[in-house]
Structures are given as structure tokens and as C-alpha cells.
Amino acid sequence: MKTLLKECSISISEAGMPELRQDPITQRWVVIAKARAKRPDDFRERPKTAGTATACPFEYGNESMTPPETMAIRPSDTTPDTPGWLVRVVPNKFPAFSTRIDGRTTGGLYVSRSAFGAHEVVIHGPDHGLTMATYPEKHVALVLKTYRQRYEYHMKQPYAGYVQIIINHGEESGASLEHSHSQIFVIPVLPEKPRALLDGASRYFDIHARCVFCDIISAELTFARRVVDESAHFLAFEPFAAQLPFETWMLPKEHKPRFEALNDNEIEDLAKIFRRTVRRFLNGLGDPPYNMYLFTAPPRYERPETMHWFMSITPKLTTPAGFEMGTGMTINSTVPEECAEFLRNVKI
Ligand SMILES: [Zn+2]
Ligand SMILES: [Zn+2]
């Protein structure tokens, strides 16, 4: 066993960078990123109480603890990597996708390639105690404008197969640092889940000549019982086949394939409904850990008429077990209509 482990780790440790491997049966890609196992764990190494002795890398004065910023929203009289910023983007210190190329691609039974791409952290603000639910709405809009700017930049890169933005909030969600932040993954391949969504939406369009998401929006507005919230441009609801309790989707009511095409007015409206949704989790469910992911058209996508971007936010209240791992099917122990009613009635 020892020899086997040693042999398996040779190709990775020599290059010292993450690697993409494809499962020869299902064609699913996996990132093998050895360095990430060594990343510091905020939740265990630092006591949760305020005023701890260990410095947080995401606060004013600690800018040198992160790699140099790739962008920031900051007053023009301040300089990069110094205090004064409102939202700051830095490369992840322990990337799952690296901007270094080692050019390795292998074939045969086992297909692997270097995980060339990018992995950035969006630090939501300098205040350790605030989250997307407690920052003012205007500040949440700045974070969303940062997403838009990073999408615009990364989507143009020739190596980008997909750009994934996520938030892991809370320890059980997979976050390693407590300070509120998002992550941006620039992936050289199109992963399984976005591919399945794109294929499904294309198939629906071929049959009905309509966007499936637009049809879902009008069905949900008519049925109304799964709607959680509505703003001028967006609808928040629990999907008909919600995989997990309180899984909430937010979509633009107008057909829009790309997040980065949002104008300022729409971004401000999205900030309002997004903040309200996470406040429902905070006030109604006691600030559970949650995962947010954005689904948007991949770079150079040729069928924008079939695609409709959305944001999904799901509290982490259950842990996948043997059945879910074996079948890829989840058992949702709650009814989406009841979850929607509960969230609708939370005082925000
Ligand atoms: Zn902090
Ligand atoms: Zn649509």
C-alpha cells in the first residue's frame, strides 16, 4: 500500500500543482489538489470569539497576508494592497485551479490534464463580523458588481471552459475561513452539472421553442405557493423538485443568459432580494451554514436563447449519506411548498 501511494503521488508532487483527472467510466472530472489539504482552518485554529490574537488575512492592515489583489473597489486616493478598500479580490493562496502551466495532458485509460485556470477569493468587506445578510444592501450590490467585473474578465480568457462563483457560509458549508467571502473558479473544462443544465435546457428548447426557465417562472408566478419573494426584476422560489430543504432559486424574470450582462439597476435590485433571502435564513433558521452557486452561460456559448442564469442558495441542514452517494438521488424530507410558506413568513 505504501508503495502504491508513493507511486500515485509522484506526478502531482513533482509538478506541485493541482491536476484534473477524468473518471474512465462516468467521464466526471475531479480536481486533485494536494496543497489545499494544508490550508489553515479558521474554525478550528482560531477561537470564535471577537478580539482573538491571531490576525485575520481579510481585514484592514493584513493585506500582505494574502497574494496581491487582482482588483478592488476602493477610493482612488488609496493604493492597492493597503486599507481603504470596500471589496477586495485576491488569488486563492491554496488554489484548486492554478495559473501556472505545466502542459501535462495524458491519455489512454486514465485521462488527466493540468488544472490550468484561476481561483480567486472575493473578500466581501473589511468587517469580520458582517455577512451578506447583515451588510447594508448597497454593500451587497458592490459585491455583486465585483462578480460582474470578474465574469467579464474571466469569460474572455481562452482557457476558460466555465466560470463558477460560489459562497460557502459557515463551517459546515465547507468554508475554511470565517470572514465572509466568495470564491471564483475558472475551470478549463465544462463540469458535469452545468453541462446537464445546458443539455436539458437545449433539449426543452428544441421541443417547445421556448426557454425552460422562462416557462418555470411563469408557472411559479401562476401557482404562487412556491414563491418566496419577488422584486422588480427577480423571482425567488423553491424549485418544484427541490433536492434539499429550503433550496431557493433566484432568477431574472426577463430572459437573460448571462449574469455579467446585468445593468446597475438590475444589480441593485438583485442585491435587495438576495440579501432578503439570506436574512430569511438568518432570522427564520438561525443562521445555518449555506452554499450559494451561480449558474450562467459558459464562455463562447452558442445557444444563449436556451440559457437563463440563476442563483441557488441552499442551507446545509443535512449530510449526504450512502443512498445519495450510491444513487446521486436525494431524499428531501421537507415539502417545497411548505418551505416556501415558512420563508415567506419570516420577519426580515
Ligand atoms: Zn476577518
Ligand atoms: Zn429564459
Side-chain angles (χ1 to χ4, degrees), residues 165-178:
I165 297 188
I166 60 117
I167 296 176
N168 292 333
H169 170 81
E171 181 182 6
E172 293 84 358
S173 74
S176 58
L177 293 176
E178 191 179 37

Side-chain angles (χ1 to χ4, degrees), residues 211-214 254-256 305 307-308:
C211 162
V212 63
F213 297 95
C214 286
E254 212 181 295
H255 183 76
K256 299 246 182 211
E305 70 282 7
M307 258 306 303
H308 198 121

Side-chain angles (χ1 to χ4, degrees), residues 28-343:
R28 264 172 90 154
W29 288 99
V30 59
V31 185
I32 308 285
K34 198 180 168 192
R36 283 179 63 76
K38 285 185 256 154
R39 67 203 162 132
D41 190 329
D42 205 16
F43 291 96
R44 261 169 288 277
E45 286 172 7
R46 300 175 40 177
K48 278 197 167 189
T49 46
T52 55
T54 324
C56 170
F58 294 168
E59 281 162 39
Y60 282 171
N62 297 340
E63 286 79 4
S64 63
M65 289 174 73
T66 68
E69 65 197 40
T70 45
M71 88 154 260
I73 298 180
R74 53 164 67 250
S76 53
D77 59 349
T78 62
T79 46
D81 301 313
T82 66
W85 50 273
L86 300 170
V87 181
R88 186 165 180 255
V89 183
V90 298
N92 195 307
K93 229 175 162 177
F94 303 90
F97 296 93
S98 166
T99 44
R100 275 174 49 204
I101 304 183
D102 69 356
R104 172 163 36 83
T105 305
T106 58
L109 173 63
Y110 294 132
V111 176
S112 79
R113 54 189 284 178
S114 75
F116 181 69
H119 186 174
E120 291 179 327
V121 177
V122 180
I123 307 164
H124 294 164
D127 196 322
H128 194 84
L130 294 181
T131 66
M132 289 288 93
T134 51
Y135 271 115
E137 198 179 296
K138 275 202 168 126
H139 194 96
V140 175
L142 293 181
V143 173
L144 298 176
K145 283 176 186 173
T146 305
Y147 289 179
R148 179 176 63 185
Q149 201 271 7
R150 297 320 285 156
Y151 267 132
E152 279 168 352
Y153 171 79
H154 290 303
M155 289 279 186
K156 284 188 206 130
Q157 304 311 312
Y159 52 82
Y162 194 63
V163 182
Q164 181 68 64
I165 297 188
I166 60 117
I167 296 176
N168 292 333
H169 170 81
E171 181 182 6
E172 293 84 358
S173 74
S176 58
L177 293 176
E178 191 179 37
H179 195 121
S180 187
H181 65 283
S182 306
Q183 293 180 67
I184 304 173
F185 299 85
V186 185
I187 310 165
V189 294
L190 183 61
E192 193 189 29
K193 190 165 177 179
R195 184 183 292 281
L197 284 162
L198 292 167
D199 288 350
S202 280
R203 219 166 23 240
Y204 187 92
F205 195 93
D206 290 342
I207 298 167
H208 304 280
R210 286 191 310 267
C211 162
V212 63
F213 297 95
C214 286
D215 277 6
I216 289 173
I217 289 163
S218 70
E220 293 305 331
L221 282 169
T222 309
F223 181 64
R225 283 184 53 205
R226 280 184 294 270
V227 171
V228 173
D229 202 348
E230 192 184 351
S231 65
H233 300 282
F234 298 92
L235 180 70
F237 67 97
E238 309 290 294
F240 171 71
Q243 302 285 306
L244 293 162
F246 301 101
E247 175 181 350
T248 306
W249 283 24
M250 254 169 284
L251 287 87
K253 287 189 274 186
E254 212 181 295
H255 183 76
K256 299 246 182 211
R258 293 189 174 280
F259 177 93
E260 65 271 28
L262 288 177
N263 62 36
D264 283 355
N265 196 8
E266 290 163 332
I267 290 245
E268 277 147 29
D269 190 49
L270 177 63
K272 185 191 295 175
I273 194 165
F274 171 51
R275 181 173 178 275
R276 283 205 303 241
T277 301
V278 284
R279 284 187 76 79
R280 286 176 208 281
F281 291 176
L282 173 70
N283 295 344
L285 302 170
D287 197 19
Y290 66 79
N291 301 107
M292 181 286 280
Y293 68 86
L294 259 168
F295 170 63
T296 189
R300 304 168 290 279
Y301 190 56
E302 284 162 2
R303 299 200 70 191
E305 70 282 7
T306 70
M307 258 306 303
H308 198 121
W309 79 262
F310 70 87
M311 182 187 268
S312 163
I313 313 180
T314 307
K316 183 103 178 168
L317 303 170
T318 55
T319 312
F323 177 75
E324 284 81 5
M325 290 173 79
T327 60
M329 180 188 267
T330 55
I331 300 172
N332 184 350
S333 55
T334 59
V335 181
E337 292 75 22
E338 288 173 8
C339 289
E341 187 183 10
F342 177 88
L343 289 177

